[in-house]
Amino acid sequence: MRKPMIAGNWKMHKTAGQAVFLVQDLAGLVERVKDVEIVVCPPYIALKSISTIIEMDKLNICLGAQNVYWEEKGAFTGEISPVMLKDLRVDYVIVGHSERRHIFGDTNEIVNKRLKAVLAHDMKPILCVGETQEEREEEKTFDIIKEQIFESLADISSEEMENVVIAYEPVWAIGTGLTATPEQANDATRNIRALVGSLYNPEIAMITRILYGGSVKPDNIAELMDEPDIDGALVGGASLDAQSFAKIIKYQEIGE
Ligand code: PGA
């Protein structure tokens, strides 16, 4: 069984102090949640304090980073290495987010390097893929996703693949308020599962968690999670508020 995952990507929001308050507020709202894996991905500068809170208070929250450099150490001004993240007990690292790809020029080859570095240091990558509006209009969605999946997962063994989470995030739905319909999202996640099956085997495809991301909110999470190939969500804007993020995490209670 694939355990659902709800991950919050706080992007470049919150000072270290604000991030601590947010995780504390969230923790109080979700303390009884057991059947959903909760992940918060604050900016680097908040990782240490949140890691300490998670450990001291034994929170049911995992820690994620938003990016990583692939070398362990050296003259790479401004970068953060996988060794540094592992030292802070980071569990997950987002790689290939569309903002990294489009603003900072991350190619599939770079994403592959980051992903390998994460796995080599016993952390789990959340690999983001997704098409732009233009690519969707030109009916290139499937080809783009295929290329992103194949190239980003180059040289990853099936054993390593068991630790990879994939997030389908159509670029046109990120931060725009436009959500893919549950059917559109499930079409893409089903395709991704088939691609993983063709690269590895059906068992790996069955256990790989595939999230949806792009304007996920408390009022659309339940219908997205109803889809058979959507195993969770990567949430941006709505994860910046403890109440709305907690509602998304507790999607099973919506409508009860
Ligand atoms: P959004 O961001 O929920 O604000 O659309 C999603 C993401 O970028 O992961």
Side-chain angles (χ1 to χ4, degrees):
M1 261 303 279
R2 302 186 295 263
K3 186 171 185 177
M5 171 190 279
I6 304 287
N9 172 11
W10 296 353
K11 308 192 180 183
M12 200 176 72
H13 292 285
K14 309 287 175 188
T15 62
Q18 290 167 339
V20 164
F21 282 132
L22 177 52
V23 84
Q24 283 171 331
D25 285 351
L26 180 70
L29 296 168
V30 300
E31 63 186 345
R32 277 191 287 276
V33 173
K34 287 196 184 67
D35 43 4
V36 174
E37 189 167 17
I38 305 167
V39 184
V40 295
C41 306
Y44 286 138
I45 45 105
L47 286 173
K48 187 172 167 55
S49 38
I50 292 185
S51 173
T52 305
I53 295 170
I54 289 175
E55 179 158 275
M56 302 259 288
D57 298 347
K58 299 194 172 36
L59 301 184
N60 55 343
I61 295 177
C62 298
L63 187 59
Q66 298 174 17
N67 189 26
V68 66
Y69 194 61
W70 53 87
E71 297 288 348
E72 294 191 350
K73 61 180 178 186
F76 303 103
T77 302
E79 294 298 319
I80 297 290
S81 85
V83 177
M84 296 168 183
L85 296 183
K86 185 66 191 171
D87 177 59
L88 293 178
R89 296 180 295 271
V90 164
D91 306 294
Y92 290 95
V93 183
I94 299 173
V95 295
H97 189 276
S98 72
E99 286 146 22
R100 297 290 330 167
R101 292 177 186 269
H102 294 110
I103 306 173
F104 301 101
D106 280 19
T107 59
N108 289 330
E109 198 186 339
I110 288 176
V111 174
N112 178 248
K113 285 186 184 181
R114 298 194 200 279
L115 192 135
K116 284 180 182 161
V118 173
L119 290 168
H121 291 85
D122 291 323
M123 297 177 289
K124 298 174 188 161
I126 301 176
L127 165 64
C128 301
V129 297
E131 81 288 359
T132 62
Q133 176 81 49
E134 203 183 338
E135 288 160 349
R136 175 163 281 264
E137 280 162 12
E138 290 170 3
E139 295 182 7
K140 289 189 188 149
T141 300
F142 184 70
D143 294 337
I144 290 293
I145 291 175
K146 185 174 173 185
E147 192 174 281
Q148 289 173 336
I149 291 280
F150 280 27
E151 293 181 9
S152 306
L153 293 175
D155 307 318
I156 302 300
S157 69
S158 37
E159 224 172 43
E160 290 173 313
M161 192 58 205
E162 291 180 20
N163 289 317
V164 176
V165 176
I166 299 175
Y168 167 62
E169 298 207 306
V171 179
W172 48 271
I174 296 178
T176 56
L178 296 171
T179 329
T181 63
E183 295 72 30
Q184 282 173 325
N186 196 68
D187 268 358
T189 50
R190 193 181 51 234
N191 275 332
I192 292 169
R193 200 174 302 290
L195 290 168
V196 172
S198 72
L199 264 180
Y200 297 94
N201 57 55
E203 289 73 42
I204 298 284
M206 279 311 293
I207 61 170
T208 300
R209 284 184 294 179
I210 307 177
L211 317 180
Y212 167 77
S215 298
V216 173
K217 303 277 181 287
D219 60 7
N220 59 24
I221 182 68
E223 53 180 16
L224 288 161
M225 293 304 289
D226 259 355
E227 295 291 333
D229 283 294
I230 299 178
D231 304 317
L234 182 55
V235 187
S239 70
L240 294 171
D241 173 79
Q243 294 285 348
S244 75
F245 194 32
K247 277 189 196 148
I248 293 172
I249 291 164
K250 296 197 273 191
Y251 65 91
Q252 285 145 323
E253 294 171 18
I254 291 172
E256 266 180 12

